[in-house]
Amino acid sequence: MPYMILKDEATADVAFVVQEKNLKDIFQTSAKAVFNTLVETKSVGKTIVKELYLEETDPEKLLLKFLEEIVYIKDADNMVFSSVEISLAQGHAMILRAQLLGENIDPKKHKLKLDVKAVTLHMFRLQKKKNGWEAKFVLDI
Amino acid sequence: MATGIKNIGKGVWEIPVTYKEGMNVPARIYATDKLMKGMDEGVYDQITNVACLPGIQKAALCMPDGHWGYGFPIGGVAAFDLDEGIISPGGIGFDINCGMRLIRTNLTYDEVKPKLKLLVDTLFKIVPVGVGGKGFLRLNKQQFKEVIVDGAKWCVDNGYGWKEDTDRIEEKGAIKGADPAKISDKAYSRGMNQLGTLGSGNHYLEIQVAYKNSIYDLKTAKAFGIDQDGQVVIMIHCGSRGFGHQVATDYLHTFEDAMKKYDITVKDRQLACAPFNSKEGKDYFAAMTCAANMAFANRQIIMHQVRKGFSQVFGRSDEEMGMNLVYDVAHNIAKVEEYKVDGKKKKLVIHRKGSTRSFGPGNAELIPAYRKVGQPVIIGGSMETGSYLLVGTDKAMEETFGSTCHGSGRTMSRAKAKHDIRGDKLQKDMEARGIYVKAASMSGLAEEAGFAYKNISDVVEAVEESGISKAVVGLKPIGNIKGTVNILGMIVPFFVLLIVLFFLLIL
């Protein structure tokens, strides 16, 4: 299981830990954790593609910005997502290019779950571990 | 229980400044012995983190419904000096001015019971709920800017309410100092279409009944207009939706940078803050006020829809059914209020995160009928167990910066609750007990099961024991709408399909 919900942490919200071999997969799996909190992703098609370009000084800040952007688009464009394609590049800053694939929210089609208000900074971290990378974050529900 | 914690009075526990390095004041938890035994360990860590913040006055407080949050614990209250203190979005929450609204009716349970399902289904259709969720109002940016300055007054001026409504809302539903220029384009585009929507999670619209044996203070209950056996009332719990969430997100980043500038360190990144009197602090306070006013307007629009739904179902006007607003009160907010510190009156910035204002009798902001008894305090319980209407006290003004509890408080994480019961089973069990719940997302429903919360009666016992508010009426749920999908979208295509099939058969 590339991500896990921490059942004993953040009583009113949802805490995740994500473990992957590389940074790209950490971003991809973290995004999927957010998608799955909002909706049964199997019920969502891939008719709309949202292109994202984000840059930050370090990967932890970039991950936070990326997850916040997903939560923002959900409300601003009234969308839920089923999958994501990511590429990362390191220049002066760390650059993320992403394609979010999904649809406009349609209650008669999508199995909607819980709304996500925000990505909290409480316990937010992205760390290099012996065998890869680990991210931890709490979504405000 | 935390090391060194001691009981310092009836229902009040103190964690000394020696508990953690950097504590400027002690931390105090309001709870009965029973609640203290079950108190979430995260509360001790988080409330003592709050006690370390610059400019904090007297003590960092946690109410009896306290539990692990982010930054502040849920149930946290803290007051800061205007000159030396800070303001922190982590002490307010992402859902700025999440709050409660209570509407009375002169209908009885016997009148409502035969039409309960129709009533709940009708309200479910006209009050949008769940992920995303767009309201029926289509406002341009200029109109939305008027909403975030004028709050509930804008709604009443535009036909969404009664003139008397605004007198029965904290700050009359429009806090002064809102500045739309301090709001990002992202916050506008995220929240402009969500006015009049409930949201998801623990947000709800509930039909409740007040029974004679649950009226604890008849004089105050009469003043609040809820004094009949079997009287039906409606409770609304929601906040500032995506608009407020984005305002908090934006300013958290501003404050992370500002802390370096002002040389402030905090124990949890979510406590990112800035001096209240700094440019960053003032900007956030003006933006937060916009979000607070949006939340007052949001609950006003929902109430308008509720009145409309009741009129449709019962064939009588909302005035005939006596659908007066009892009160609307915030439980996630920062406000400048005046309290005594070391015997002297002082203006302070009060943070309440999962805590309700609890003004005692005599406060000039209250309408004359309430001024004699104190401010109504609306406490939402779990959808299974019931809720309470309390009243504010002088003791709260003296001890807790005019604050009290806000609800039951969770004891179990969402993941655990979902693991322990299926939503569809819970829905059937509740219906057998006379509570009709409309919730299409069954996993979301399971997460709100009654066993995931503290016993609300224990929480009310704790605030009564310490004297920071008094029970007036206990309210039992009979119908509940949870933040899930809107079935209107399912019904319309179904009828279209029926019509198409009808014509195909004829041909």
Side-chain angles (χ1 to χ4, degrees), chain B residues 316-365:
Chain B
R316 291 150 67 182
S317 74
D318 45 2
E319 287 94 347
E320 276 176 280
M321 288 182 284
M323 295 184 75
N324 304 78
L325 175 59
V326 176
Y327 208 62
D328 180 311
V329 67
H331 54 224
N332 278 8
I333 203 154
K335 306 260 296 286
V336 174
E337 293 168 0
E338 198 174 66
Y339 294 96
K340 270 188 184 169
V341 178
D342 299 329
K344 284 182 187 168
K345 276 194 171 180
K346 191 173 176 184
K347 281 194 172 172
L348 303 163
V349 56
I350 311 295
H351 289 58
R352 295 190 182 100
K353 186 184 183 188
S355 165
T356 315
R357 197 183 72 173
S358 179
F359 279 178
N363 195 286
E365 192 196 292

Side-chain angles (χ1 to χ4, degrees), chain A residues 89-108:
Chain A
Q90 182 71 63
H92 293 297
M94 180 161 253
I95 294 164
L96 174 140
R97 288 185 177 83
Q99 286 191 325
L100 305 174
L101 290 91
E103 291 177 316
N104 286 126
I105 295 173
D106 180 357
K108 65 181 182 286

Side-chain angles (χ1 to χ4, degrees), chain A residues 9 24 30 54 58 78 97 141:
Chain A
E9 295 188 26
K24 186 186 158 191
S30 299
L54 301 169
D58 66 67
N78 199 37
R97 288 185 177 83
I141 299 299

Side-chain angles (χ1 to χ4, degrees), chain B residues 53-80:
Chain B
L53 291 169
I56 188 166
Q57 304 287 295
K58 279 165 75 172
L61 309 175
C62 186
M63 298 296 117
D65 49 338
H67 60 90
W68 190 343
Y70 46 83
F72 275 44
I74 310 299
V77 179
F80 297 89

Side-chain angles (χ1 to χ4, degrees), chain A residues 5-14 37-39 60-61 64 68-69 71-72 74-80 105-108 110-125 138 140-141, chain B residues 40 46 67-71 94-95 130-134 186 189-190 194 200-201 203 241-242 245-246 249 252-253 256 268-270 410-416 419 441 443-444 447 483 485-486 489-490 493:
Chain A
I5 293 175
L6 302 171
K7 288 184 183 176
D8 294 316
E9 295 188 26
T11 327
D13 302 301
V14 187
T37 306
L38 293 164
V39 67
E60 185 177 278
K61 283 183 179 169
L64 175 65
E68 284 178 345
E69 201 63 18
V71 175
Y72 164 73
K74 173 260 302 174
D75 282 329
D77 294 344
N78 199 37
M79 283 186 73
V80 279
I105 295 173
D106 180 357
K108 65 181 182 286
H110 302 137
K111 288 187 179 170
L112 298 167
K113 289 153 89 177
L114 285 170
D115 206 355
V116 175
K117 294 174 185 168
V119 185
T120 78
L121 295 180
H122 177 56
M123 303 194 302
F124 191 96
R125 65 159 197 251
V138 178
D140 184 12
I141 299 299
Chain B
D40 199 335
Q46 292 188 324
H67 60 90
W68 190 343
Y70 46 83
F94 284 98
D95 199 1
V131 179
K134 287 183 176 179
K186 272 187 145 176
S189 57
R190 190 170 164 191
Q194 292 187 330
S200 157
H203 292 164
R241 308 286 287 111
H245 310 162
Q246 193 62 40
T249 298
L252 260 180
H253 295 304
E256 277 216 299
D268 174 351
R269 280 177 74 189
Q270 189 68 36
R410 286 190 79 97
T411 52
M412 186 184 279
S413 73
R414 292 179 175 280
K416 267 191 180 166
H419 183 263
S441 167
S443 63
E447 291 176 20
V485 302
N486 190 328
M490 298 181 197

Side-chain angles (χ1 to χ4, degrees), chain A residues 120-123, chain B residues 20 45-54 69-73 78 80 86-94 251-252 255-256 259 264-275 351 353:
Chain A
T120 78
L121 295 180
H122 177 56
M123 303 194 302
Chain B
K20 183 181 278 183
D45 189 40
Q46 292 188 324
I47 200 62
T48 50
N49 286 345
V50 174
C52 299
L53 291 169
Y70 46 83
F72 275 44
F80 297 89
I86 53 88
I87 185 165
S88 171
I92 295 153
F94 284 98
Y251 278 93
L252 260 180
F255 283 7
E256 277 216 299
M259 284 200 303
I264 299 172
T265 53
V266 290
K267 304 272 185 189
D268 174 351
R269 280 177 74 189
Q270 189 68 36
L271 289 173
C273 57
H351 289 58
K353 186 184 183 188

